[in-house]
Amino acid sequence: MTAAQRPFKVLGIQQVAIGGTDKSRMKKLWVDMLGLEQTGTFQSERENVDEDILSMGRGAMKVEVDIMQPLDLEKKPAVHTTPLNHIGLWIDDLPRAVEWLTAQGVRFAPGGIRAGAAGYDICFLHPKSNDEFPIAGEGVLIELVQAPADVIAALG
């Protein structure tokens, strides 16, 4: 597979998401000790998440560190059971990427393309493959994030 055949481009890391049972403990490290700035919050009963959105860097080089705890420890998804919950990648053309990757046998998590916590369209590659879709994250949940125009211009 050559780059010319792939109808999209991974531009860089958009985020790293870290899960735990108490985001205030994570906030002590990431905000108070390391100096990241909190830029937002997000809660979703459907995704069972209470999340603080932190950031480092500026402009197209800004990277999110999302610290997450479950709304309910007994429900799924269990955002706290894998401390490094997922990694997010900037994608220049998310719909084309999803279409092409699906045709290649890549397994996506349920939910399709939707608005994410930071307001960008997102979707997730499933961490485990199956018979129908033999390519997956090999244990890692991977978020594909539609890059805005300034990120595409800077990193594309």
Side-chain angles (χ1 to χ4, degrees):
M1 175 62 50
T2 67
Q5 295 171 308
R6 190 174 296 105
F8 66 93
K9 187 175 181 182
V10 175
L11 301 172
I13 293 176
Q14 185 267 337
Q15 70 173 265
V16 175
I18 301 167
T21 57
D22 181 358
K23 70 178 180 175
S24 68
R25 292 173 51 95
M26 293 181 280
K27 196 172 191 175
K28 180 79 173 163
L29 171 66
W30 290 95
V31 175
D32 298 345
M33 300 294 106
L34 298 176
L36 274 68
E37 176 186 357
Q38 182 170 343
T39 58
T41 59
F42 178 74
Q43 284 193 349
S44 169
E45 286 187 33
R46 178 177 162 234
E47 296 184 27
N48 191 34
V49 69
D50 177 8
E51 174 178 333
D52 286 345
I53 302 167
L54 314 178
S55 68
M56 62 180 132
R58 283 184 243 150
M61 301 308 213
K62 183 169 97 174
V63 175
E64 284 182 22
V65 175
D66 297 342
I67 54 176
M68 308 181 307
Q69 68 185 33
L71 292 170
D72 184 337
L73 287 169
E74 304 301 316
K75 291 186 177 177
K76 295 212 185 261
V79 299
H80 63 294
T81 59
T82 305
L84 177 56
N85 185 273
H86 66 272
I87 187 167
L89 303 174
W90 286 125
I91 302 295
D92 66 344
D93 188 337
L94 185 59
R96 286 187 65 180
V98 170
E99 179 182 5
W100 187 84
L101 290 167
T102 301
Q104 304 308 306
V106 174
R107 184 177 182 196
F108 283 85
I113 296 175
R114 60 196 179 276
Y120 306 111
D121 282 350
I122 58 115
C123 66
F124 290 92
L125 298 181
H126 202 286
K128 296 179 182 176
S129 62
N130 62 19
D131 290 340
E132 184 180 1
F133 296 100
I135 303 168
E138 295 303 316
V140 177
L141 184 64
I142 301 167
E143 182 175 10
L144 302 183
V145 183
Q146 175 61 57
D150 63 330
V151 173
I152 293 170
L155 300 178

